[in-house]
Amino acid sequence: MTEKSEIDIEVLDEAYNRGSDYLMRYACAPGVFAAVMDTLGYEDDPAVNDVWKAAIGFVGGTGNMAIGTCGAMAGAAMAISYSFGLKKEEPEDMMKMLNVTSVVAEVGKKMQEKYGHITCQEVQFHLLGKSYRFTNPEAMQEFMSLSRAHPACQEVTGDLARWTAKKILEHNPHFSKRKQK
C-alpha cells in the first residue's frame, strides 16, 4: 500500500465519521456538505460557509417533506459540484457540466445499490420499513426517538460523505487543502 493510499483511507474514514456526527448537529444535507468540505480543509472558507446555507432547504428530502432527493445525496451533489469550480459566467462549457453530473451520478448509483433509492422516503422504507413526513411534528418526534435507538440515517450520511470525498479526490485531487503527511 502506498503512502497516498494510507492517507486516502484516513481521509475517507474522517469524512465518514464527520458525516455521521454532523447529522445530529446540522441535519442531512448541510451535514454531508460540511463533513466533506471540512475533511478536505475548507472549515473556515467564507465562500463554503455561504454555500452551506443553501443546503438547509434540502433537509429531509427537500423542505422536510421526504418526497425529494435524500438530503445526504443533495449535500453530496453540492460538494461535488463546488469542487469542480464551474462558474456562472461559463455555462457554455457543457462538457464540464456533464462531467460534474456524471460524478454526482456515480455517487447516486452507489447510494442506490446500498440503500435501494436516492429519495428520502424510499431510503427510509429501505432502512426503517416506513417513511416519515418531517413536516408533521408527531412524525418528526417518532423519527427522532427511533433515530436515537437505531441511527440508520447516520450510516447514510457517513457513507455519502465518504463516497463524495473519494470521488472529489479521484476527479479533483488538487481541490483538497489538507496538509499531506
Side-chain angles (χ1 to χ4, degrees), residues 35-85:
V36 172
M37 302 310 284
D38 289 358
T39 298
L40 297 180
Y42 288 81
E43 305 88 346
D44 300 319
D45 187 290
V48 167
N49 290 330
D50 279 345
V51 172
W52 178 88
K53 296 172 194 175
I56 295 167
F58 295 110
V59 167
T62 307
N64 269 337
M65 297 187 312
I67 57 175
T69 301
C70 168
M73 183 66 215
M78 291 178 70
I80 291 166
S81 298
Y82 190 86
S83 77
F84 274 84

Side-chain angles (χ1 to χ4, degrees), residues 113-181:
E113 288 169 10
K114 183 165 184 180
Y115 297 108
H117 217 283
I118 67 165
T119 63
C120 181
Q121 69 182 1
E122 295 300 326
V123 171
Q124 289 181 52
F125 273 122
H126 180 82
L127 293 171
L128 307 170
K130 72 184 276 188
S131 176
Y132 296 87
R133 292 287 190 269
F134 303 122
T135 52
N136 175 327
E138 292 84 27
M140 177 61 100
Q141 183 77 26
E142 182 181 334
F143 179 80
M144 294 305 288
S145 294
L146 181 64
S147 293
R148 282 188 272 286
H150 182 313
C153 284
Q154 285 185 284
E155 181 181 349
V156 175
T157 55
D159 281 341
L160 268 289
R162 178 194 308 269
W163 300 335
T164 301
K166 183 173 191 235
K167 289 299 175 188
I168 290 171
L169 292 170
E170 286 173 4
H171 292 274
N172 300 312
H174 301 294
F175 179 74
S176 179
K177 289 183 177 182
R178 287 179 69 99
K179 303 246 187 298
Q180 297 297 322
K181 289 185 177 180

